[in-house]
């Protein structure tokens, strides 16, 4: 394999062979292809894209650069969910409990947050005593015993993707459907699951700003997964405002428990059903999604999902006392309301801006090594389309200081005469 | 200037500002922009190209990274010629003498060859005693006294282009009209001439394989030159076979002298006229090209061009005795004919293959540090369209060894039933 030949071939729009792609990934990871050739190669992919076969090979090569979990010794169909990330998105937590409550195996390898979208592991670590760094054996045993576990990677997942992503980040080659879908799938396929449902976010607070791009990304990931023998489904969901009402690690745990107690916000509950139903069908526990939805709703009303969540917490070393007493979770000492200056309806609320605010409060990481303050965050009181009076609080900030200048939010929150709640589910694939 | 912002802007097809382009060039040359960002940037230019304003700014920024000659203290209009390079192309040598014989200033900064296309300086250095490394003062004095000089760069010409070219070479970003034209013009504009005629080669032995691409390159270079205030003309000429009959440094000097004596091959003489006529007109020594052509032909028939060539050689320290006695030039001890195996007409003759053969004989450089054997080369006896009998020599190789396996030429030289001489001048711009 000669790197300039491969570069020329892709630049000229030709289809690369499996060997060419695999050699590029292996040699770049090994350091024998320099960054300047790799960045030029990534830019050719940005412009000429890759077909499904090329994307699948790229995904496989990046996956095989690291550790790959083998869950085949756990009986049953293992199902997982992946979200492209959004502000206030705690869906994995109630969803895992709801699906696992139906006797389905839900092994989840999750990540920590970087930038303004919080990670599922960070939220879990707000729970006193809970550990997410389980060994592979402990993880598998918990899946057998409890049905679900949400942990950090047990080995080194797709180091090739990590190295390539760092280069993409500084060479304007992040937003390529071929590269995004291969990057995500190289990590998801490494977890060894049998079925995967994707939650691809779209809207002002999402990486994909419109439904067409979100659909293209979802389709690409589904094609890669299916080519690798994994059952795939996808939901395109709205991220024009935060999901639910709570943003911040401990606050999102509380909203999760409330959801499992049957008091969840409409959008979060609906998303759990939209994502959970195909998981239940793919796990062959329901003949169709209508029945699957009813079964999932039942787990909320009969308390079985909350029980499953509690079992998971205990199995991972957490103290479940907070489920009855939220004050056992970290809290912020001060609450500062942000009130409406005009009356009308909430028109826009920039999810990114709220995510950045929570990060600045200490609830998220600007750099990998930042430590988190689990108690801080934002509680929203209004969602898009809700009526608002002058002086009424739109949101409350949970902070470590008594006063905070929130005027920077003014440009990110608009009150209008007319406004309508956005559609939550834009498409199911 | 933030490099990722500039990268994003060009990647998305926007037009860069003068400051953005200049900053990128200056910072890359200074080492503060890494290769991996520059190679990604070059690839965005490959895909999205640059408009004339951007190309002009890029050219100027690369030119200003190095030394720029100021010839304004030499009276008269200074005209130059640039060729994109071809096998057997010794045109600069007779052309400079012919034009200078008409009392026109022709200062030429030329290069050495790398790869199979020989450099004009290498050919000149086949002349005993001749020096091409003149000081700037000596160069200017020779232009005043003799009218022409062909020398190597007196300072560091466009180091930014040199660094960028090295990166383009290994990242498949060489063949971009924007980048090629800016690269050439950054070096040509640094020589401080008032007018420039371009010889853009097209055909199997040229970088530009078809006339459309050659025309696009010529037009781009003309636009850049004109934007910088230089009078520009261009000729698209054929390179489907070597120019003239001689390939090799001393052999091309002999063909040059024969041309100046009035015995030149038709194609070489015609190209000198086609390129020389616009030079004479731009120098305001003839009202139109028809008259200019007659004046140029006169310099051949009256011996004034040969006299001018002799003056130039002597001024640069060369011994002009070879002009009467070619044996005073380096020669190869052995000649090996390559004969026709079938009868017919010469159909194709791969100029690149002959160039590579001469390089392998020692007449060209594979790497920058190779020393040259000036005597070796190839004398062609036939050109495309010429009738050929079985056993008749198509070419003669001048080598340092008595025997040579020339069978590798078989695939590069084809004899056909019908063949026609290609058009030499495809277009004049």
């Amino acid at each position: 394999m000669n790197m300039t030949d491969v570069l020329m071939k892709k630049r000229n729009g030709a289809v690369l062979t499996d060997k060419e792609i695999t050699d590029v990934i292996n040699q770049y990871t090994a350091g024998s292809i320099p960054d300047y050739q790799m960045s030029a190669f990534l830019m050719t992919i940005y412009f000429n894209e890759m077909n499904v076969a090329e994307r699948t090979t790229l995904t496989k090569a990046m996956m095989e650069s690291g550790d790959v979990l083998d869950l085949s010794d756990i009986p049953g169909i293992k199902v997982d969910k992946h979200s492209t990330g959004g502000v206030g998105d705690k869906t994995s937590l109630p969803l895992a409990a709801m699906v696992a409550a139906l006797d389905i195996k839900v092994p989840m390898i999750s990540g920590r947050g970087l930038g303004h979208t919080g990670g599922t592991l960070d939220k879990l670590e707000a729970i006193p005593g809970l550990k997410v760094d389980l060994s592979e054996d402990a993880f598998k045993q918990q899946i057998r015993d409890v049905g679900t576990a949400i942990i950090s990677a047990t080995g080194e997942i797709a180091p090739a993707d990590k190295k390539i992503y760092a280069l993409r980040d500084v060479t304007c080659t992040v937003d390529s459907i071929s590269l995004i879908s291969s990057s995500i799938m190289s990590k998801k396929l490494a977890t060894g699951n049998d079925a995967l449902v994707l939650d691809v976010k779209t809207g002002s607070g999402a990486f994909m700003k419109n439904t067409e791009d979100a659909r293209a990304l979802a389709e690409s990931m589904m094609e890669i997964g299916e080519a690798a023998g994994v059952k795939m489904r996808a939901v395109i969901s709205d991220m024009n405002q935060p999901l639910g009402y709570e943003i911040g690690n401990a606050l999102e745990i509380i909203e999760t428990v409330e959801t499992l107690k049957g008091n969840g916000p409409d959008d979060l509950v609906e998303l759990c059903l939209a994502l959970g139903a195909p998981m239940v069908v793919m796990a062959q526990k329901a003949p169709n999604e209508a029945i699957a939805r009813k079964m999932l709703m039942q787990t909320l009303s009969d308390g079985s999902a909350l029980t499953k969540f509690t079992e998971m917490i205990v199995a991972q070393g957490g103290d479940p006392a907070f489920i009855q007493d939220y004050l056992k979770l970290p809290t912020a000492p001060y609450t500062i309301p942000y009130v409406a200056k005009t009356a009308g309806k909430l028109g826009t609320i920039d999810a990114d801006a709220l995510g950045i605010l929570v990060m600045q409060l200490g609830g998220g990481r600007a750099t990998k090594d930042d430590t988190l303050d689990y108690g801080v965050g934002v509680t929203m009181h209004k969602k898009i389309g809700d009526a608002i009076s002058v002086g009424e609080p739109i949101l409350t900030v949970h902070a470590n200081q008594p006063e905070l200048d929130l005027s920077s939010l003014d440009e990110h929150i608009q009150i209008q005469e007319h406004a309508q709640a956005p559609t939550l589910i834009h498409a199911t694939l």
Side-chain angles (χ1 to χ4, degrees), chain A:
Chain A
M1 199 275 308
N2 181 307
M3 184 59 183
T4 54
D5 292 346
V6 174
L7 244 176
M8 178 74 81
K9 198 171 165 184
K10 193 71 222 165
R11 194 203 69 179
N12 292 348
V15 173
L16 300 181
T17 65
D18 288 353
K19 181 170 171 10
E20 285 166 340
I21 294 168
T22 305
D23 283 356
V24 168
I25 299 307
N26 291 347
Q27 291 179 26
Y28 178 63
T29 311
S32 57
I33 289 174
D35 284 343
Y36 58 79
Q37 286 188 321
M38 193 65 182
S39 65
F41 180 66
L42 294 167
M43 193 60 86
T44 66
I45 297 173
Y46 174 84
F47 279 99
N48 287 336
E49 293 287 0
M50 284 179 142
N51 70 18
V52 178
E54 290 174 292
R55 293 175 191 192
T56 303
T57 304
L58 174 60
T59 303
K60 194 159 169 279
M62 294 198 294
M63 178 186 85
E64 289 175 351
S65 71
D67 296 311
V68 178
L69 264 184
D70 180 4
L71 301 181
S72 61
D73 54 343
I74 299 176
I77 298 169
K78 277 75 68 182
V79 299
D80 192 4
K81 186 238 19 168
H82 177 78
S83 161
T84 59
V87 175
D89 184 11
K90 70 284 295 173
T91 314
S92 290
L93 302 173
L95 179 64
M98 290 162 72
V99 175
L102 295 172
D103 196 21
I104 295 168
K105 306 296 185 204
V106 188
M108 285 189 171
I109 308 282
S110 198
R112 292 176 202 283
L114 185 61
H116 62 276
T117 55
T120 297
L121 297 185
D122 297 323
K123 293 165 195 177
L124 276 175
E125 286 181 332
I127 297 169
L130 188 137
K131 300 279 174 232
V132 297
D133 54 342
L134 272 59
S135 70
E136 187 176 326
D137 284 345
F139 177 61
K140 286 184 173 185
Q141 195 56 47
Q142 185 174 331
I143 299 300
R144 283 192 194 91
D145 296 344
V146 181
T148 187
I150 305 179
I151 66 160
S152 60
T154 56
E156 196 182 16
I157 303 294
D161 172 72
K162 194 173 180 184
K163 185 172 178 185
I164 292 167
Y165 192 88
L167 185 63
R168 285 168 61 201
D169 200 33
V170 292
T171 56
C172 278
T173 46
V174 167
D175 49 342
S176 149
I177 294 284
S178 298
L179 296 175
I180 298 170
S181 53
S182 303
S183 170
I184 293 173
M185 292 305 290
S186 72
K187 291 173 284 194
K188 289 314 284 187
L189 294 181
T191 64
N193 283 303
D194 306 303
L196 178 64
V197 63
L198 303 168
D199 178 15
V200 179
K201 306 285 191 188
T202 181
S204 62
F207 188 68
M208 295 287 152
K209 301 298 176 197
N210 62 64
T211 309
E212 293 67 45
D213 288 349
R215 179 184 285 271
L217 177 59
E219 285 172 348
S220 177
M221 290 193 285
M222 288 175 74
E223 287 165 342
I224 292 169
E226 283 159 3
V230 175
K231 286 188 197 174
M232 300 290 302
R233 293 293 307 278
V235 169
I236 313 291
S237 76
D238 193 74
M239 186 41 66
N240 281 300
Q241 62 184 339
L243 188 71
Y245 289 91
E246 305 290 350
I247 312 165
N249 298 295
L251 292 170
E252 295 190 45
I253 291 293
I254 294 171
E255 194 166 44
T256 294
V257 174
E258 283 298 307
T259 300
L260 294 171
K261 286 177 177 172
N263 310 318
D266 290 348
D267 57 354
L268 178 57
V269 173
E270 174 53 31
L271 188 59
C272 286
L273 295 174
L275 293 166
M279 291 171 79
V280 173
V281 171
M282 287 192 289
Q284 299 176 4
K285 294 284 182 181
N288 60 52
E289 290 195 22
I291 292 173
R293 282 177 76 95
K294 281 183 194 153
M295 292 163 66
L296 288 163
M297 285 191 280
Q298 179 76 19
T299 68
L300 296 180
S301 57
D302 67 10
S304 60
L306 183 60
T307 302
K308 187 56 70 184
F309 186 66
T310 310
E311 286 173 24
M312 184 189 82
I313 303 259
V314 171
Q316 293 187 218
D319 177 353
F322 75 93
I323 290 172
Q324 305 310 324
D325 179 3
Y326 298 147
L327 290 177
K328 295 200 183 290
L329 289 172
T331 53
Y334 301 100
T335 55
I336 305 157
Y338 175 80
V339 301
K341 295 178 185 67
T342 56
K345 287 187 167 181
L346 185 60
T348 61
I349 182 157
D350 187 328
D352 279 355
L354 294 184
I356 290 165
L357 173 62
V358 173
M359 185 179 78
Q360 289 164 342
L361 291 169
R365 288 183 191 81
T367 70
K368 264 194 300 197
D369 301 325
D370 287 353
T371 55
L372 296 188
D373 183 333
Y374 296 107
V376 298
V378 167
T379 299
M380 292 166 56
H381 306 296
K382 301 287 177 181
K383 304 213 76 165
I384 293 173
D386 286 354
I388 271 176
S389 313
V390 177
E392 194 180 8
I394 298 172
L395 55 84
T396 298
V397 176
H398 302 254
N400 278 311
Q401 63 258 61
E403 284 179 32
L404 210 57
D405 178 9
L406 295 176
S407 62
S408 66
L409 287 180
D410 293 355
E411 59 175 311
H412 299 295
I413 296 174
Q414 281 166 15
I415 293 169
Q416 301 163 188
E417 199 177 342
H418 303 288
Q420 220 176 341
T423 304
L424 178 69
I425 307 294
H426 294 284
T428 56
L429 308 175

